[in-house]
Amino acid sequence: MNELAFALVYAGARLDNGAMSVEELAPALGSLDDLVQEMSRSAFPTREPARLAVRGARDGSLAIDLVLQAPWDHIIDIFSSDGADAVNNLFGYLAGGAGILSLIRRLRRRRIAKVTQVDEPNQPVAMVELTLEDGEVLRIPAAVLDGYRKIKVRKSARTVVEPLEDPGIERVQIVREQEIAIEIARDDIAAFDPLPSVEEPVTDNVVDMVVAIASPSFTGGNKWRLSDGSTTFYASLDDESFKAAIDAGRESFRAGDMLRCRMEILQSRGGDGTLHTERRVLQVVEHIPREVQLQLVDDGDEGDEPSAVA
């Protein structure tokens, strides 16, 4: 077992007596443990994640002595020469100048516009350059970016700094060997707030298909209820000429009618990690009344005579 000791320190006028409620402190400690585990998985995905342990508290202070424990006694990989170096690297990914807490604070909820791999000779760890939406460029370990992309990491980091919302608590520090690795002040809380939910496109396909009309819609959001034979779904009707024909009374519908159409299927991932699918009818090629036989497959030349039956 390789270990690295450090302290989590909350400081402020309210804490002169070195006391803090368990209800207030427990979520922060639990989230810091979650943060360590997730960053461990990002840095060393094939290894059992590192964990936190509490060693004890010092009298008259608000410093909580913690131990980063990793079950890596004998490892040699691109990140480190041995287990102790790996734990040092992991601590850097957590609380170093280019670690996850520092990155969240520095980004201040700005979005990453571009990620570029950094290829340098004798580079000890994989690095990336981040180009932010305002043009600023940051260089960080690739493992830190991987951690930042995890919603759980950002939520855990936010819980660690949540005690700063109390006016009597002014800062939180991670201290190692009496050196402050990182200090986060009350003014930094906003940087840890969740990013606004923005849909991130995943796939965008346009397909030709035949759908059955389960329920048309002529008002509101213009969402038609359609079926492809196995799945029923809602889709917006965005064919303006077809909508004009409906408004003019040239098109009418009965249960069982079908549409041969061009359909756009857009999949996107929300800021909460959930997957969304949106469908749009771009063009109605043909409205097929229910009494018309639908030929989906070409069985042969139209001019062929039916074969004689003996």
Side-chain angles (χ1 to χ4, degrees):
M1 179 76 69
N2 284 276
E3 297 185 347
L4 183 149
F6 66 96
L8 177 67
V9 181
Y10 291 100
R14 200 200 98 187
L15 305 171
D16 288 342
N17 66 349
M20 196 170 177
S21 72
V22 172
E23 182 180 12
E24 194 174 9
L25 187 57
L29 287 177
S31 291
L32 186 59
D33 185 36
D34 290 340
L35 193 56
V36 166
Q37 291 185 63
E38 291 303 320
M39 292 308 300
S40 179
R41 292 186 178 102
S42 291
F44 306 100
T46 63
R47 307 192 185 283
E48 184 180 347
R51 297 292 304 263
L52 283 186
V54 179
R55 178 160 282 169
R58 285 170 264 174
D59 293 338
S61 75
L62 208 65
I64 303 154
D65 293 335
L66 301 172
V67 179
L68 195 162
Q69 296 180 332
W72 309 330
D73 291 325
H74 305 290
I75 62 171
I76 299 175
D77 55 28
I78 62 171
F79 294 100
S80 61
S81 58
D82 57 37
D85 285 346
V87 174
N88 274 305
N89 284 341
L90 179 56
F91 181 81
Y93 299 150
L94 173 70
I100 186 65
L101 295 173
S102 179
L103 175 65
I104 294 173
R105 181 180 61 185
R106 190 166 180 183
L107 286 180
R108 292 195 174 274
R109 303 174 79 241
R110 291 176 292 172
R111 296 199 172 275
I112 299 170
K114 181 181 177 183
V115 178
T116 306
Q117 301 292 326
V118 177
D119 296 319
E120 292 181 351
N122 303 318
Q123 192 169 264
V125 297
M127 301 291 290
V128 293
E129 278 190 350
L130 310 182
T131 302
L132 307 185
E133 58 187 352
D134 59 2
E136 184 178 354
V137 177
L138 307 177
R139 180 175 292 197
I140 63 170
V144 174
L145 175 61
D146 183 79
Y148 178 77
R149 285 171 166 161
K150 298 177 181 178
I151 294 173
K152 185 175 182 179
V153 165
R154 299 199 299 271
K155 285 183 175 179
S156 296
R158 179 62 177 82
T159 305
V160 171
V161 303
E162 191 155 337
L164 294 173
E165 293 182 346
D166 188 307
I169 302 177
E170 300 168 0
R171 59 192 179 276
V172 57
Q173 302 169 334
I174 291 181
V175 179
R176 182 187 177 195
E177 296 176 347
Q178 299 184 335
E179 297 249 346
I180 298 173
I182 186 169
E183 178 176 286
I184 300 166
R186 187 185 301 121
D187 292 344
D188 297 320
I189 294 178
F192 290 80
D193 287 340
L195 294 172
S197 180
V198 175
E199 297 290 323
E200 174 189 356
V202 178
T203 62
D204 189 356
N205 299 310
V206 177
V207 297
D208 295 320
M209 62 189 303
V210 174
V211 294
I213 302 173
S215 176
S217 174
F218 307 111
T219 59
N222 193 35
K223 291 283 188 178
W224 288 47
R225 190 164 171 260
L226 306 173
S227 171
D228 61 5
S230 60
T231 305
T232 301
F233 53 86
Y234 286 92
S236 61
L237 180 65
D238 293 350
D239 185 333
E240 295 300 329
S241 62
F242 191 71
K243 286 196 291 185
I246 295 172
D247 293 341
R250 297 193 299 273
E251 294 284 356
S252 59
F253 305 93
R254 289 188 296 176
D257 283 8
M258 298 184 182
L259 300 176
R260 189 187 303 273
C261 61
R262 300 205 74 202
M263 178 89 67
E264 181 184 43
I265 304 173
L266 174 64
Q267 284 188 304
S268 59
R269 185 174 61 183
D272 58 356
T274 55
L275 194 65
H276 305 279
T277 300
E278 181 181 357
R279 296 174 176 86
R280 299 169 55 220
V281 177
L282 302 178
Q283 180 186 10
V284 176
V285 177
E286 182 183 5
H287 172 200
I288 307 168
R290 67 178 181 181
E291 65 270 13
V292 174
Q293 183 176 359
L294 178 64
Q295 181 177 326
L296 294 176
V297 180
D298 187 0
D299 294 326
D301 295 333
E302 294 180 1
D304 290 349
E305 293 293 331
S307 58
V309 178

